[in-house]
């Protein structure tokens, strides 16, 4: 039974999934799990594909102090108890820098190059690289693939890739990279099946989850994104502010006595829906709340999606379709209905019944452009990339690399 392990490592959790490799390169998800509470209250939880619980175990803090230890616990559980020996591991890596415009098979040289991008994503890149290093050390023959959140956006034109700052900084890596690329790539690949008429045309995709951004797709490629140098820009998110005048950062530094690291924590953890509402970063809680500040946070979220849709509509010189995806985009009929109202100037109308039942096509028959809900699947995208690099790599039978 050939399987692929997909790993998404953050600062306090390692999420993992197992995909079974079936005939003709088809993949079937088998297990979803995570080790969370790293360094505080570590816990391994995993479920089978139908939601059946497979593990739920608490560990003492010293047993899982860091990401490599969490990867070790998850790997040992898969190998020793489930007898799962993956033929390859695919990793979500936030930053591929200017160099990587596609996934890459990992070796020590690649890790050294990815290490150079730690300064571009200091809160994420080191945690993404930690399990790569530990697997490389423990299982050097096991193929690993890095899949980047930035890679899908490397097709942007020079004007979309630059800031209006001296060009040397662009050469140094200060560019408008864009993120959520694995999600947008998945949507771009799904559209020919979901909506063949518009798959090659101009499509605005709104990835609305705890992180949120929007992307303009043309002929299935990214031409513009609301995110830039970091995953802070663009739309307001659960705990990040989205677009903010850099002068606010200068004010926090000079007038509020905050250090650069205070500001970093503030921008990643205390702003967005959480900061504005003072209640929660979770859209479900805000929707259920009667509080005026919860309403303001939702109004702001919807308003900024509308404004950014205008920007991406200009990049596309008029979009041919609009797609909602990710946690909020896939599940909140209320937010979709409200965004739909903000898109009225584009001739968008939604069918309330189709919208409430989370149908695939939710626009009304009189809508000038169709509006879709397309569930995203970044982990499947990583598994597909991993399998295809494994199949195409110029080396011996991958089974020889199996972990034993
Ligand atoms: P993601 O990051 O894509 O997993 O999305 C997570 C976010 O989706 C959560 O923080 C929730 O705010 C939001 N979400 C999930 N389900 C719903 C729902 N039924 N209604 C509103 N928001 C939801």
């Amino acid at each position: 039974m050939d399987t692929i392990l997909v790993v998404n490592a953050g600062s306090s959790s390692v999420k993992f999934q197992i995909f079974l490799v079936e005939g003709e390169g088809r993949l079937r998800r088998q297990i979803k799990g995570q080790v969370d509470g790293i360094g505080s209250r570590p816990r391994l939880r995993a479920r089978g594909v139908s939601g059946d619980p497979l593990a739920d175990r608490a560990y003492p803090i010293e047993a899982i102090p860091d990401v490599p230890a969490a990867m070790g616990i998850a790997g040992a559980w898969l190998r020793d108890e489930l007898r799962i020996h993956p033929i390859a591991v695919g990793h979500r890596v936030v930053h591929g820098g200017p160099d990587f415009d596609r996934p890459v098979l990992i070796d020590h040289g690649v890790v050294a190059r990815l290490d150079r991008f730690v300064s571009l994503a200091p809160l994420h890149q080191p945690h993404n690289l930690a399990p790569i290093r530990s697997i490389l050390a423990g299982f050097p023959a096991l193929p690993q693939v890095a899949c980047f959140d930035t890679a899908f956006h490397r097709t942007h034109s020079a004007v979309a890739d630059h800031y209006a700052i001296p060009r040397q900084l662009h050469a140094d890596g200060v560019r408008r990279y864009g993120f959520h690329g694995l999600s947008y790539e998945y949507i771009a690949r799904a559209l020919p099946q979901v909506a063949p008429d518009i798959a090659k045309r101009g499509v605005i995709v709104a990835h609305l989850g705890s992180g949120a951004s929007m992307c303009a797709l043309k002929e299935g490629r990214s031409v513009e994104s609301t995110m830039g140098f970091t995953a802070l820009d663009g739309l307001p998110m659960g705990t990040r502010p989205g677009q903010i005048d850099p002068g606010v950062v200068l004010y926090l530094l000079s007038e509020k006595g905050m250090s650069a690291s205070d500001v970093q924590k503030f921008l990643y953890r205390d702003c967005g829906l959480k900061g504005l509402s003072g209640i929660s970063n979770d859209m479900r809680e805000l929707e259920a709340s009667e509080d005026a500040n919860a309403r303001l946070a939702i109004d702001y979220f919807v308003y900024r999606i509308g404004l950014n849709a205008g920007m991406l509509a200009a990049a596309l010189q008029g979009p041919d379709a609009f797609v909602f995806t990710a946690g909020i985009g896939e599940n909140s009929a209320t937010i979709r209905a409200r965004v739909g109202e903000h898109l009225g100037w584009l001739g968008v109308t939604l069918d309330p019944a189709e919208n409430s039942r989370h149908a695939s096509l939710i626009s009304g028959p009189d809508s000038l452009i169709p509006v879709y809900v397309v569930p995203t699947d970044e982990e499947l995208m990583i598994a597909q990339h991993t399998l295809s690099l494994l199949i195409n790599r110029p080396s011996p039978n991958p089974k020889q690399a199996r972990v034993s």
Side-chain angles (χ1 to χ4, degrees):
M1 221 176 43
D2 286 348
T3 54
I4 288 184
L5 169 64
V6 170
V7 176
N8 182 358
S11 57
S12 64
S13 73
V14 174
K15 296 181 181 148
F16 60 92
Q17 297 196 8
I18 291 289
F19 288 84
L20 185 62
V21 182
E22 299 186 316
E24 293 159 20
R26 274 174 295 116
L27 290 159
R28 187 149 57 87
R29 192 179 337 257
Q30 280 200 307
I31 295 171
K32 275 187 183 185
Q34 63 181 55
V35 179
D36 56 20
I38 295 170
S40 57
R41 295 165 65 186
R43 198 172 195 99
L44 164 69
R45 275 179 279 218
R47 290 184 177 275
V49 74
S50 50
D52 44 311
L54 297 174
D56 187 356
R57 296 173 194 173
Y59 293 84
I61 183 168
E62 59 279 7
I64 309 186
D66 54 19
V67 169
M71 192 67 248
I73 291 278
W77 176 70
L78 289 167
R79 278 192 312 279
D80 301 342
E81 297 190 36
L82 271 58
R83 306 265 169 251
I84 289 176
H85 302 280
I87 56 169
V89 186
H91 296 265
R92 181 183 193 163
V93 177
V94 68
H95 225 300
D99 304 4
F100 292 102
D101 62 357
R102 65 198 64 190
V104 63
L105 263 173
I106 293 168
D107 57 23
H108 287 285
V110 167
V111 175
R113 283 169 77 190
L114 296 180
D115 216 21
R116 293 213 311 265
F117 308 138
V118 164
S119 64
L120 300 179
L123 297 189
H124 299 99
Q125 193 85 343
H127 305 298
N128 301 156
L129 297 184
I132 292 177
R133 285 201 171 91
S134 60
I135 293 173
L136 209 49
F139 306 96
L142 178 62
Q144 299 192 76
V145 171
C147 300
F148 306 102
D149 273 320
T150 49
F152 186 62
H153 300 294
R154 295 313 301 147
T155 46
H156 288 182
S157 64
V159 282
D161 194 45
H162 276 75
Y163 289 108
I165 53 178
R167 283 193 312 283
Q168 179 55 43
L169 283 164
H170 184 265
D172 291 343
V174 184
R175 303 180 182 203
R176 292 193 62 240
Y177 292 100
F179 295 85
H180 292 135
L182 291 160
S183 173
Y184 294 123
E185 186 179 11
Y186 178 85
I187 301 292
R189 288 194 184 190
L191 280 178
Q193 284 83 51
V194 177
D197 293 351
I198 52 102
K200 291 271 171 228
R201 307 182 66 189
V203 183
I204 296 176
V205 185
H207 175 109
L208 309 177
S210 45
S213 71
M214 292 164 75
C215 175
L217 294 177
K218 190 143 209 166
E219 296 182 358
R221 299 166 128 220
S222 170
V223 296
E224 185 54 272
S225 159
T226 58
M227 277 181 168
F229 179 56
T230 67
L232 284 171
D233 204 358
L235 301 181
M237 296 165 239
T239 57
R240 290 170 260 168
Q243 187 189 0
I244 190 163
D245 184 334
V248 175
V249 173
L250 298 177
Y251 172 83
L252 296 175
L253 292 169
S254 66
E255 302 301 318
K256 291 286 179 187
M258 290 170 80
S259 67
S261 121
D262 293 339
V263 173
Q264 177 163 286
K265 280 192 212 117
F266 174 76
L267 292 174
Y268 277 95
R269 294 188 194 153
D270 299 333
C271 295
L273 297 175
K274 179 181 164 195
L276 194 51
S277 69
I279 294 173
S280 173
N281 61 334
D282 191 319
M283 185 57 82
R284 284 164 293 201
E285 277 186 50
L286 298 180
E287 284 187 10
S289 170
E290 301 280 312
D291 192 293
N293 292 323
R295 278 204 301 279
L296 174 66
I298 295 178
D299 289 350
Y300 184 78
F301 184 68
V302 171
Y303 174 65
R304 300 302 305 193
I305 294 167
L307 287 187
N308 280 271
M311 179 183 86
L312 297 185
L316 290 169
Q317 291 293 288
D320 300 298
F322 192 96
V323 172
F324 287 99
T325 193
I328 301 169
E330 292 166 27
N331 296 302
S332 175
T334 314
I335 296 293
R336 290 195 303 259
R338 295 203 45 200
V339 171
E341 287 166 17
H342 279 265
L343 302 178
W345 64 277
L346 280 171
V348 164
T349 62
L350 295 193
D351 179 323
E354 295 300 284
N355 184 36
S356 341
R357 73 174 188 92
H358 310 294
S360 168
L361 178 63
I362 59 169
S363 43
D366 57 339
S367 189
L368 284 189
I369 62 169
V371 180
Y372 291 91
V373 178
V374 181
T376 193
D377 196 339
E378 290 153 293
E379 292 78 13
L380 178 59
M381 197 69 248
I382 294 171
Q384 284 174 349
H385 279 309
T386 304
L387 183 61
S388 97
L389 276 183
L390 194 61
I391 289 169
N392 296 321
R393 77 188 176 135
S395 68
N397 182 352
K399 284 184 184 176
Q400 290 174 0
R402 191 188 290 266
V403 188
S404 54

